[in-house]
Amino acid sequence: MKKHSIAEYVRLLESNGLIIKGDYPEELAKKSVKRVAYNSNRVGPDTLFVCKGASFKEAYLDIAVNNGAIMYISEIDYHKDIPCILVNNIQKSLSLAANLYYNYPWKRLTLVGITGTKGKSTTAYYVKYILDEYSQAHGQAAAGIISSIDTYDGKSTRESHLTTPESLELQVHFNNAANRKLPYMVTEVSSQALKYGRLYGVNFDVGVFLNISEDHISSIEHRDIEDYFVSKLAIFKQCRTACVNLDSDMVDRVLAAAKDSEQVITFGAKPEADIYGYNVRKDGFDTVFNVRTPRFDREFKLTMPGLFNVENALAAIAVAYTLNIPEEYIYEGLKKARSSGRMEIYATRNRDKIIIVDY
């Protein structure tokens, strides 16, 4: 993997208006950074250390210096024996440093980002199932996914603990996926990730806005619904195509924000939607509905129960439409789609008892 010099990291932060003070010895400028870390226990020789987190302690920096850090990035100058790059936003600085360290691996992927109060996980898996149908038919690897349920990056599958991981871990997953030639990566994007810049410097090929409702309002997450809403709208500043749900609350503001993207595709139950869903009905446990787009007008089937999942399916169809996935793969993907812990049905052999798991 190509390594970059201290000077290159400093120039990147400077070009993004993040540096307050960045003095360092001239002989250090050409020094290659062998590792970027914000955990002092993961520091080795020639590490660029990032002092991140509300609970950060100066003692962690001391450990990092002892372990081989040659420079640190911080919002506070702790006056240590190694140079400090003083910045005005540590989260954005970490994200940019992670991007450079891993050589922008997301540029070698087709990247899909999905945000919204409800339905992110289900929509992410609908998209993955569709893309996997297409990839399998064309001899490609399965799509990667970063969700609140689990993460698959071509190297490993693991249970998730955050909807959107910290920026350094995100780049690890993108790098694993790119190195294993995964064609697609589907990512749930939380309001916290957007607010605090975990994806700063990353651009999505497709960004999806599902819906907005009052949630995650607290002193820890978002102070009010406006802060929450504005955080979610920020996805449009970093995606090529925006897919917008016309049935969302405050849709006029969503559409106005979506103009930051190069292209806008709408979906929903309104006839003016580019991806228009209609004639929704039940067929046993299945949900059947029709979809009209500029390219096709046909029936689709969901074998995951819940009429509300049609909205998630329309979002997935909008993504597939944007990526020029033919309709037959969309149909097969949605028919097979499952999302662990989302409307899972279990029945006795004679079907006299039905259990639905939905957490």
Side-chain angles (χ1 to χ4, degrees), residues 32-75:
S32 289
V33 171
K34 293 182 179 177
R35 186 177 301 177
V36 171
Y38 61 86
N39 183 335
S40 56
N41 294 318
R42 296 181 179 175
V43 171
D46 300 334
T47 294
L48 177 60
F49 185 68
V50 183
C51 303
K52 179 199 78 72
S55 59
F56 182 82
K57 298 177 182 178
E58 187 175 348
Y60 301 154
L61 178 56
D62 292 332
I63 295 170
V65 173
N66 288 335
N67 287 345
I70 54 172
M71 179 180 279
Y72 68 98
I73 301 172
S74 176
E75 292 180 357

Side-chain angles (χ1 to χ4, degrees), residues 105 108-110 128 135 140-145 152-155 173-174 176-185:
R108 293 184 281 150
L109 302 164
T110 296
K128 176 172 166 53
S135 294
Q140 296 176 313
I145 189 166
Y152 169 70
D153 62 11
K155 182 177 181 180
H173 293 311
F174 293 156
N176 287 342
N179 286 343
R180 285 156 181 80
K181 302 191 185 307
L182 271 60
Y184 304 100
M185 176 64 86

Side-chain angles (χ1 to χ4, degrees), residues 154-186:
K155 182 177 181 180
S156 64
T157 301
R158 64 183 67 178
E159 182 182 348
S160 298
H161 300 287
L162 280 176
T163 299
T164 312
E166 187 52 83
S167 53
L168 193 59
E169 282 69 43
L170 274 170
Q171 296 301 327
V172 170
H173 293 311
F174 293 156
N175 191 56
N176 287 342
N179 286 343
R180 285 156 181 80
K181 302 191 185 307
L182 271 60
Y184 304 100
M185 176 64 86
V186 185

Side-chain angles (χ1 to χ4, degrees), residues 108-224:
R108 293 184 281 150
L109 302 164
T110 296
L111 193 61
V112 178
I114 301 167
T115 198
T117 304
K118 300 174 183 177
K120 292 190 297 297
S121 296
T122 301
T123 302
Y125 272 91
Y126 282 178
V127 172
K128 176 172 166 53
Y129 270 85
I130 292 169
L131 296 177
D132 285 354
E133 283 293 314
Y134 179 76
S135 294
Q136 184 179 29
H138 291 79
Q140 296 176 313
I145 189 166
I146 299 173
S147 78
S148 55
I149 299 172
D150 56 21
T151 294
Y152 169 70
D153 62 11
K155 182 177 181 180
S156 64
T157 301
R158 64 183 67 178
E159 182 182 348
S160 298
H161 300 287
L162 280 176
T163 299
T164 312
E166 187 52 83
S167 53
L168 193 59
E169 282 69 43
L170 274 170
Q171 296 301 327
V172 170
H173 293 311
F174 293 156
N175 191 56
N176 287 342
N179 286 343
R180 285 156 181 80
K181 302 191 185 307
L182 271 60
Y184 304 100
M185 176 64 86
V186 185
T187 306
E188 282 188 51
V189 182
S190 69
S191 56
Q192 293 284 293
L194 289 164
K195 179 178 180 178
Y196 293 112
R198 289 181 208 157
L199 286 152
Y200 187 71
V202 174
N203 292 315
F204 297 98
D205 293 280
V206 187
V208 180
F209 190 98
L210 290 170
N211 46 56
I212 185 74
S213 60
E214 195 158 322
D215 203 351
H216 304 287
I217 310 302
S218 70
S219 58
I220 299 173
E221 295 183 272
H222 298 279
R223 63 181 180 272
D224 51 35

Side-chain angles (χ1 to χ4, degrees), residues 2 4 9 38 40-41 58-59 66 148 154 179 189 229 240-241 252 268 281 295 304 330 343:
K2 180 184 177 182
H4 299 274
Y9 285 92
Y38 61 86
S40 56
N41 294 318
E58 187 175 348
N66 288 335
S148 55
N179 286 343
V189 182
F229 188 33
R240 183 175 295 121
T241 296
D252 288 344
R281 65 265 189 208
R295 288 205 300 264
M304 264 182 73
I330 302 175
M343 294 302 291

Side-chain angles (χ1 to χ4, degrees), residues 295-306:
R295 288 205 300 264
F296 59 80
D297 188 339
R298 64 165 295 166
E299 182 181 277
F300 289 90
K301 177 185 290 188
L302 295 176
T303 53
M304 264 182 73

